[in-house]
Amino acid sequence: MTGTIDSSGRRRHDPDRRPDPLERLVTVLASADRYDLMLAVIPVVFGVALAIAPVAGVAVEGALVPAAVVAAAVVADACYLNPPIDPDEGAA
């Protein structure tokens, strides 16, 4: 990581410096909220099921059923059990 350090000991942004990919990844992940992570779980679950099916000797359809149940549970939780709430909705 390059950049200049000011008198307070904090790193200042150097406009000529290209952003570090790791810094960018950390920034994106830090700004993700619960619903972003829930959306990311769905394709990951299906990908893991497809990767494990041949190794475990299970038919692909048999591996996708539990993945679909997990994905449905994530969607049900995000939409019905813990839906996003507008903070201004209760203000009058």
Side-chain angles (χ1 to χ4, degrees), residues 4 6 13 35 49 56 68:
T4 57
D6 60 10
H13 177 67
Y35 301 100

Side-chain angles (χ1 to χ4, degrees), residues 7-79:
S7 60
S8 66
R10 290 191 283 174
R11 187 176 303 278
R12 283 190 302 157
H13 177 67
D14 185 4
D16 296 330
R17 183 178 70 93
R18 292 184 60 204
D20 182 23
L22 183 60
E23 288 178 20
R24 202 175 320 158
L25 177 65
V26 168
T27 303
V28 169
L29 290 177
S31 66
D33 64 359
R34 180 177 193 267
Y35 301 100
D36 295 328
L37 297 175
M38 291 178 101
L39 283 174
V41 165
I42 296 169
V44 168
V45 168
F46 282 104
V48 168
L50 290 174
I52 289 178
V55 173
V58 179
V60 173
E61 294 84 4
L64 289 179
V65 170
V69 170
V70 170
V74 168
V75 170
D77 180 58
C79 292

